[in-house]
Structures are given as structure tokens and as C-alpha cells.
């Protein structure tokens, strides 16, 4: 998805060129594009024998869907459980947590 967002549209070959060594097999990239297309994240148009792929979802939309999926599947759909897990894993101090809370309050007020 990162490559599609960067290039906006690409073929399997163009995507392969963006990978660092060791590059995945061409069939692997093609399979991943097919899976993403089946999930509704990607579409393709045929240009002769070549498929040109493009994203149907923005990076923000994709990130949101993935994050909510993680929250649902691993944290019993509890934002508090997920947030406390990440706070623990990142060894956040009470001061950092207070700053995060204040920043969140400001953003929520701004959106209203």
C-alpha cells in the first residue's frame, strides 16, 4: 500500500523497483495486489497484458481501519486497554501521559 500511495498507480514491475534487496518475487507482489483488490483496497485496469494498480483507500482510511481492527481483535474493542498497552510498552511517564491527555483534549475541542 505504501508504494501505491507514493506512486498513485503502478504495475507489478514498477512496484518491484521500489523494493530494497532482497526483493520479493514478482508472483508475491502480484498475489498481494490480488488480495488487496479482493479486500476492496486496490483496483486495477488492464493495459494490454499489464495490470495497472491504484489505491481505492487513502492512507488515513487504511490506518483507521487497521487500528480499529487491532483494537477489536486484540483489546476486546477497548480503547483504554489498547492505550494502556502502548503506554506500558513505550514506558511513558506520568508527565508524558498528562501531555498526551492535554493534547487530545485540545484537539477534541478544536474539532467541535
Amino acid at each position: 500500500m505504501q508504494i501505491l500511495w507514493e506512486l498513485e498507480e503502478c504495475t507489478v514491475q514498477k512496484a518491484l523497483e521500489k523494493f530494497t534487496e532482497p526483493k520479493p518475487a514478482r508472483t508475491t507482489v502480484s498475489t498481494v495486489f490480488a488480495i488487496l483488490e479482493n479486500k476492496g483496497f486496490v483496483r486495477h485496469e488492464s493495459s494490454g497484458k499489464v495490470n495497472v494498480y491504484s489505491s481505492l483507500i487513502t492512507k488515513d482510511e487504511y490506518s483507521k481501519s487497521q487500528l480499529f481492527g487491532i483494537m477489536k481483535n486484540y483489546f476486546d474493542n477497548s480503547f483504554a486497554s489498547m492505550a494502556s498497552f502502548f503506554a506500558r510498552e513505550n514506558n511513558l511517564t506520568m508527565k508524558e501521559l498528562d501531555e498526551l491527555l492535554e493534547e487530545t483534549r485540545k484537539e477534541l475541542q478544536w474539532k467541535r
Side-chain angles (χ1 to χ4, degrees):
M1 290 303 298
Q2 297 288 349
I3 291 169
L4 281 176
W5 291 318
E6 181 184 332
L7 298 176
E8 296 182 9
E9 65 178 30
C10 69
T11 62
V12 170
Q13 184 59 41
K14 286 287 183 193
L16 273 170
E17 292 170 10
K18 298 298 274 180
F19 281 92
T20 58
E21 294 294 338
K23 295 179 186 274
R26 179 175 171 60
T27 54
T28 301
V29 175
S30 183
T31 299
V32 169
F33 279 160
I35 291 167
L36 291 170
E37 188 169 20
N38 286 336
K39 290 184 175 193
F41 297 141
V42 169
R43 71 180 179 94
H44 81 272
E45 292 182 15
S46 296
S47 178
K49 293 184 177 183
V50 177
N51 288 334
V52 179
Y53 295 90
S54 59
S55 176
L56 290 173
I57 188 168
T58 67
K59 187 174 184 177
D60 284 344
E61 291 168 330
Y62 184 81
S63 298
K64 183 178 176 180
S65 74
Q66 295 303 302
L67 185 59
F68 280 105
I70 289 169
M71 187 171 74
K72 178 182 176 192
N73 295 322
Y74 296 99
F75 298 100
D76 296 323
N77 217 23
S78 168
F79 179 78
S81 293
M82 185 172 72
S84 66
F85 170 82
F86 284 109
R88 277 192 318 275
E89 289 298 309
N90 288 288
N91 296 318
L92 294 183
T93 64
M94 291 306 291
K95 182 180 178 192
E96 290 170 321
L97 286 171
D98 288 339
E99 290 169 356
L100 178 61
L101 186 56
E102 183 58 30
E103 187 178 317
T104 303
R105 278 190 184 115
K106 287 178 183 176
E107 186 164 327
L108 289 173
Q109 287 173 350
W110 180 81
K111 284 187 176 183
R112 290 181 186 164

